[in-house]
C-alpha cells in the first residue's frame, strides 16, 4: 500500500515498481508485480500493489551493516550479472538528480560536479544495499527509485553502506572492481558519498558520516571540507 497527498506525488517513486515491471528484462532476479489498483479522495492518492511472494530472507535487516554477511561465492556472480543487465535498460527515469550533485559535491567533498560531467550515466537500481538483496539465491527488492545514475552507482552504494564492516567493504571492492576501480566508478562512489553525507546531515545513518569522509579523502587524496550543520526549522 502507498499513499501521498494528491498534489505532491513524486512520479519517479510512485510509478517505479510499475515501470520496473514493464521495462526490466526477466534476467534480473526480482519479485514480479502481478497487479495494482489506484484510487483517491479529495486530498490523498492511494495505490495497492500485489507482488510475487519471495520465500527468502534479505542478507541484512538494515541498509547499514555492522557484521559481515554470509553469502555463497555464486551469489556475487549473480550480483555482477544482474548489475550488467540493469545497466542495459532503456529508460529516461533518473535516480539521482544532476542538480543535487552540483550542490552536494562542492558542499560535502569540495569538488565541482562539473568536474565529472563527461563521465557516463547508466540505469541503476538506486537503493542497492544488503537489506534489499536476498540470499542464498539473489532476488533484488524495492524498485521504486530505479533510473539513471553515474555508472557504477549501485556498486558504490553497496560499498558505502558496508563501511562499518571493513572486511565486507573490501569484499565488495574485490567482487565489483570492474565497476568501482575506474574513473566512472570513483565518480559514482563520490556521488553516493555526497548523497549519504547529506542524509547524515539530516540525522539519517549518522554513524556512516566519518567512514564516508575517510573514504572520500582516500579517493580524493585530501581531507573533505568541514560542513556547517543545517539549521532546523
Amino acid at each position: 500500500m502507498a499513499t501521498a497527498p494528491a498534489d505532491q506525488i513524486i512520479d519517479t517513486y510512485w510509478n517505479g515498481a510499475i515501470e520496473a515491471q514493464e521495462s526490466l528484462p526477466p534476467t534480473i532476479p526480482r519479485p514480479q508485480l502481478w497487479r495494482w489498483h489506484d484510487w483517491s479522495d479529495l486530498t490523498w492518492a492511494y495505490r495497492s500493489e500485489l507482488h510475487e511472494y519471495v520465500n527468502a530472507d534479505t542478507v541484512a535487516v538494515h541498509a547499514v551493516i555492522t557484521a559481515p554477511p554470509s553469502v555463497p561465492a555464486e551469489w556475487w556472480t549473480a550480483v555482477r550479472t544482474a548489475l550488467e543487465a540493469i545497466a542495459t535498460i532503456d529508460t529516461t527515469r533518473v535516480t539521482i538528480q544532476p542538480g543535487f550533485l552540483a550542490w552536494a559535491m562542492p558542499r560535502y567533498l569540495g569538488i565541482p560536479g562539473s568536474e565529472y560531467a563527461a563521465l557516463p550515466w547508466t540505469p541503476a537500481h538506486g537503493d542497492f544495499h544488503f537489506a534489499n538483496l536476498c540470499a542464498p539465491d539473489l532476488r533484488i527488492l524495492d524498485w521504486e527509485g530505479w533510473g539513471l545514475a553515474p555508472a557504477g552507482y549501485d556498486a558504490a552504494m553497496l560499498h558505502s553502506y558496508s563501511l562499518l564492516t571493513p572486511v565486507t567493504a573490501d569484499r565488495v571492492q574485490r567482487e565489483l572492481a570492474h565497476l568501482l576501480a575506474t574513473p566512472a566508478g570513483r565518480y559514482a562512489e563520490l556521488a553516493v558519498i555526497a548523497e549519504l553525507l547529506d542524509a547524515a546531515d539530516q540525522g539519517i545513518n549518522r554513524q556512516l558520516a566519518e567512514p564516508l569522509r575517510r573514504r572520500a579523502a582516500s579517493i580524493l587524496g585530501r581531507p573533505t571540507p568541514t560542513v556547517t550543520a543545517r539549521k532546523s526549522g
Side-chain angles (χ1 to χ4, degrees), residues 3-175:
T3 183
D7 60 348
Q8 297 179 32
I9 290 176
I10 302 174
D11 287 341
T12 296
Y13 297 98
W14 189 256
N15 296 318
I18 295 173
E19 293 182 10
Q21 182 64 30
E22 294 172 344
S23 302
L24 271 59
T27 52
I28 298 174
R30 70 192 193 283
Q32 299 296 304
L33 174 59
W34 297 127
R35 58 182 63 91
W36 58 91
H37 178 68
D38 293 330
W39 70 101
S40 63
D41 56 28
L42 292 177
T43 57
W44 291 87
Y46 304 90
R47 173 170 291 164
S48 61
E49 297 176 351
L50 179 62
H51 290 261
E52 175 188 1
Y53 177 72
V54 176
N55 188 22
D57 292 331
T58 55
V59 176
V61 176
H62 303 291
V64 180
I65 62 169
T66 56
S70 177
V71 295
E74 55 269 23
W75 185 88
W76 289 103
T77 301
V79 166
R80 289 190 293 271
T81 300
L83 291 180
E84 290 173 5
I86 293 170
T88 66
I89 302 166
D90 183 17
T91 186
T92 58
R93 289 171 53 87
V94 178
T95 286
I96 185 167
Q97 294 293 331
F100 168 79
L101 292 180
W103 170 83
M105 295 184 81
R107 174 178 172 84
Y108 294 104
L109 305 178
I111 54 176
S114 59
E115 184 174 328
Y116 299 92
L119 292 173
W121 285 45
T122 58
H125 172 271
D127 201 18
F128 203 80
H129 54 67
F130 286 111
N132 277 338
L133 306 176
C134 295
D137 295 325
L138 177 66
R139 302 292 289 278
I140 306 171
L141 311 180
D142 293 346
W143 287 87
E144 289 85 353
W146 72 280
L148 295 170
Y153 182 87
D154 285 337
M157 182 74 72
L158 191 64
H159 181 261
S160 291
Y161 274 122
S162 303
L163 288 175
L164 294 184
T165 309
V167 66
T168 305
D170 290 346
R171 182 71 184 271
V172 173
Q173 280 189 299
R174 293 197 308 272
E175 298 287 352

